[in-house]
Amino acid sequence: MINNFRSKIDDGIYMNLINTDKFKTNLVSIYIVRPLLREEATKNALLPLVLRRGSERYRTSLNIQKELDKLYGGNLNVSVTKKGERQIIRFAIEIVNSKFIKEDSLFDKSLKILNEIINNPLINDGKFDDKYVEQEKRNLVDRIKSRINDKKSYAVDRCIEEMCKNENYSIYKFGFIEDIKDIDSESLFTHYKKIIETSPIEINIVGNIPKDYALKAAEKYLSFQRQEIINIPRENVLKDIQTKNRIYEEMEVNQGKLTIGFRTNIPYEDDLYEGIILASNLLGGGTNSKLFKNVREKESLAYYIYAKTYKLKSLMIIASGIEFENFDKTLDIIKKQVEELKEGTFTDEDIKHSKNAIVTSIRSMIDSNYSLSEFYFTQILTNESKSINEMIDKIRGVTKENIIKAAQKISLDTIYFLKNKREMEEEKVE
């Protein structure tokens, strides 16, 4: 049984308690929400790296770890991600539930540590520590460069970047290498003070904690300086496609990565949203999908192939790994499967398989406190109030007509192909 409770604790700051006795730990996640903008994306990505290095009280990362060890092996995670056209700085701490040990104050201590790291960073001469900032700038450069190591996800990212190149959604969550050199300790600290004062902040607590106790503890131990809170606009998701992009990128790869980007033109608040989720699953959601059966099994053209929707930006991506010479044939078959989907060439049994797969995926969220926190955070960003059971009911209620109507709104936008550099050179010679 999961109960959730939401309460405002300051200007633009809310505490969200997801109360469940399913886990032996309690998870506290603090989300600082920023607009996804070129001028601040790199600074935002650098901030959690610097803040994790030390605070006024715990001056090194080793000191922080020693404090976490006192909490029976507490785990601290700092990260940056993007959700739609928002960039999220997340601080999370997971500690054992006090009912399993003889110490009652663990939850309070975990909030104190979070507050110390976020609100009392290590400052020298009115700015962040120079050494820490320079070290983490180098680490951020390495992190951005390393994105090419996973060619599968790199190809998807690049397809989306080309697809949305005139939209903020194209901005990489870790920012840009060329912007790092202009960041110094003083400018980064000035920016940090601004985002703490002006950003919407969500505090999600997942665990078996009494509501009144959690609220009082959050109000007592988490204190932020606040000014006027920024408003972050809703993403624009409807687009009339005039011309289709076709992007080729060359790299030393052994396997081609064909990625195709579609606009679904269905916002998440639309009545057809669940229909597009089913359509995507029928198309490329697993071994029973049209793409798997026709591209991978029947024609043996793909090492992997799948379709995925991106809720907040209303995109659908088809990603595949293929031999370089199979590009045209694979593309033609994929296009054919999309057209058949729009025509309703699938059975009631196919729909049943897809519904079961999606319901299983939704239910799996309750097996992870992190997934639960992320689920409710996304609900907040989208102003939704559907429970997990209500989401399942909506999926169960989708008809074949809903799926066809949703699929018919899909528009092909971008074809991206990552292929071997030698292949490109041979084509030029010919």
Side-chain angles (χ1 to χ4, degrees):
M1 186 69 179
I2 299 172
N3 296 306
N4 60 296
F5 165 78
R6 178 171 171 84
S7 179
K8 181 177 180 180
I9 63 174
D10 205 340
D11 290 339
I13 302 178
Y14 290 84
M15 187 207 77
N16 308 286
L17 176 63
I18 300 101
N19 203 307
T20 173
D21 60 2
K22 187 174 180 64
F23 310 108
K24 293 182 178 180
T25 58
N26 295 322
L27 175 71
V28 182
S29 300
I30 297 180
Y31 301 91
I32 299 173
V33 186
R34 298 298 300 172
L36 185 61
L37 301 171
R38 172 67 191 252
E39 56 265 30
E40 67 174 71
T42 310
K43 290 180 181 178
N44 292 340
L46 183 59
L47 278 170
L49 301 178
V50 173
L51 292 165
R52 182 65 171 84
R53 292 294 301 275
S55 71
E56 189 177 297
R57 183 174 180 184
Y58 314 120
R59 301 184 70 82
T60 67
S61 55
L62 180 59
N63 293 146
I64 294 173
Q65 189 56 53
K66 286 180 178 177
E67 198 64 22
L68 291 168
D69 290 342
K70 294 177 184 178
L71 303 185
Y72 299 87
N75 180 47
L76 176 70
N77 176 267
V78 294
S79 60
V80 164
T81 189
K82 74 176 185 181
K83 287 184 178 288
E85 290 176 352
R86 296 172 176 87
Q87 191 177 22
I88 315 298
I89 303 173
R90 180 180 186 263
F91 301 83
I93 190 167
E94 186 178 22
I95 45 102
V96 66
N97 191 307
S98 294
K99 78 175 188 176
F100 295 106
I101 55 176
K102 294 182 179 180
E103 186 172 344
D104 294 330
S105 58
L106 282 185
F107 180 71
D108 299 62
K109 289 179 179 178
S110 69
L111 296 186
K112 288 179 182 179
I113 291 175
L114 281 176
N115 187 68
E116 172 68 16
I117 291 169
I118 297 171
N119 287 311
N120 298 306
L122 182 61
I123 302 301
N124 292 322
D125 299 323
K127 58 185 180 179
F128 284 125
D129 184 89
D130 290 331
K131 181 179 72 173
Y132 286 169
V133 170
E134 290 306 311
Q135 288 175 345
E136 295 306 331
K137 283 169 66 175
R138 292 193 292 271
N139 289 336
L140 185 57
V141 168
D142 292 341
R143 179 174 289 188
I144 296 172
K145 286 181 177 179
S146 70
R147 68 188 296 215
I148 66 170
N149 294 340
D150 184 346
K151 302 298 190 298
K152 196 172 180 179
S153 62
Y154 173 78
V156 172
D157 285 347
R158 287 289 296 118
C159 180
I160 291 173
E161 287 171 3
E162 292 291 341
M163 187 176 176
C164 303
K165 60 186 174 184
N166 297 317
E167 303 163 70
N168 288 339
Y169 194 65
S170 66
I171 296 171
Y172 185 47
K173 65 180 178 181
F174 292 131
F176 302 86
I177 289 176
E178 58 267 31
D179 294 348
I180 293 175
K181 65 180 184 301
D182 296 325
I183 302 173
D184 58 32
S185 305
E186 186 173 359
S187 64
L188 187 64
F189 183 59
T190 299
H191 175 68
Y192 183 59
K193 288 192 293 184
K194 181 184 78 171
I195 71 169
I196 287 295
E197 291 170 349
T198 63
S199 301
I201 297 175
E202 299 289 337
I203 303 166
N204 282 14
I205 300 169
V206 182
N208 190 11
I209 302 172
K211 179 178 69 175
D212 292 341
Y213 175 72
L215 181 58
K216 288 178 181 177
E219 291 174 334
K220 181 178 180 180
Y221 297 116
L222 299 174
S223 176
F224 299 87
Q225 295 291 324
R226 307 299 276 167
Q227 293 187 9
E228 185 175 351
I229 310 305
I230 61 170
N231 177 55
I232 303 176
R234 165 82 164 85
E235 296 84 357
N236 179 27
V237 300
L238 302 176
K239 187 173 181 180
D240 182 23
I241 301 168
Q242 303 296 327
T243 58
K244 296 177 177 62
N245 297 323
R246 185 172 287 214
I247 309 296
Y248 296 94
E249 188 170 350
E250 55 185 79
M251 196 177 289
E252 294 292 342
V253 291
N254 296 319
Q255 183 188 107
K257 307 295 181 186
L258 171 59
T259 309
I260 308 173
F262 298 81
R263 305 275 178 169
T264 71
N265 296 301
I266 298 175
Y268 52 75
E269 62 269 31
D270 195 286
D271 289 340
L272 286 176
Y273 174 71
E274 285 75 20
I276 200 64
I277 297 299
L278 263 297
S280 174
N281 190 275
L282 285 163
L283 185 62
T287 56
N288 194 59
S289 67
K290 295 174 69 63
L291 292 175
F292 188 92
K293 288 190 291 188
N294 290 283
V295 180
R296 190 176 188 276
E297 287 193 334
K298 184 178 178 181
E299 299 290 341
S300 300
L301 289 172
Y303 297 100
Y304 68 86
I305 189 163
Y306 67 86
K308 178 182 177 180
T309 56
Y310 291 73
K311 176 177 181 176
L312 294 171
K313 192 60 179 172
S314 299
L315 307 180
M316 185 180 76
I317 296 293
I318 294 175
S320 63
I322 64 173
E323 293 294 338
F324 307 115
E325 64 270 18
N326 291 333
F327 170 80
D328 289 320
K329 186 175 182 180
T330 306
L331 180 60
D332 287 344
I333 296 176
I334 290 173
K335 287 181 176 178
K336 181 181 178 183
Q337 299 312 307
V338 173
E339 288 308 309
E340 286 187 359
L341 183 74
K342 294 181 177 184
E343 294 165 1
T345 309
F346 50 88
T347 67
D348 290 342
E349 188 67 18
D350 293 331
I351 297 173
K352 180 181 175 181
H353 280 297
S354 285
K355 286 184 176 181
N356 288 340
I358 294 168
V359 168
T360 298
S361 177
I362 293 171
R363 283 180 174 154
S364 71
M365 290 190 295
I366 67 174
D367 295 328
S368 161
N369 51 16
Y370 172 82
S371 296
L372 273 177
S373 182
E374 290 293 299
F375 166 73
Y376 281 102
F377 177 61
T378 302
Q379 293 282 86
I380 291 161
L381 293 183
T382 56
N383 293 313
E384 294 178 285
S385 58
K386 292 194 293 287
S387 68
I388 289 174
N389 286 335
E390 287 170 334
M391 288 179 63
I392 290 173
D393 289 341
K394 293 279 281 186
I395 292 295
R396 291 290 191 202
V398 174
T399 65
K400 184 171 184 176
E401 289 70 25
N402 296 146
I403 297 170
I404 294 171
K405 188 179 291 187
Q408 288 173 348
K409 288 181 171 287
I410 296 171
S411 297
L412 195 158
D413 186 299
T414 297
I415 298 166
Y416 169 90
F417 191 44
L418 178 64
K419 64 185 301 186
N420 193 287
K421 191 174 183 179
R422 291 191 299 274
E423 295 284 328
M424 297 291 288
E425 290 172 350
E426 290 171 6
E427 283 186 5
K428 290 174 185 176
V429 172
E430 292 174 3

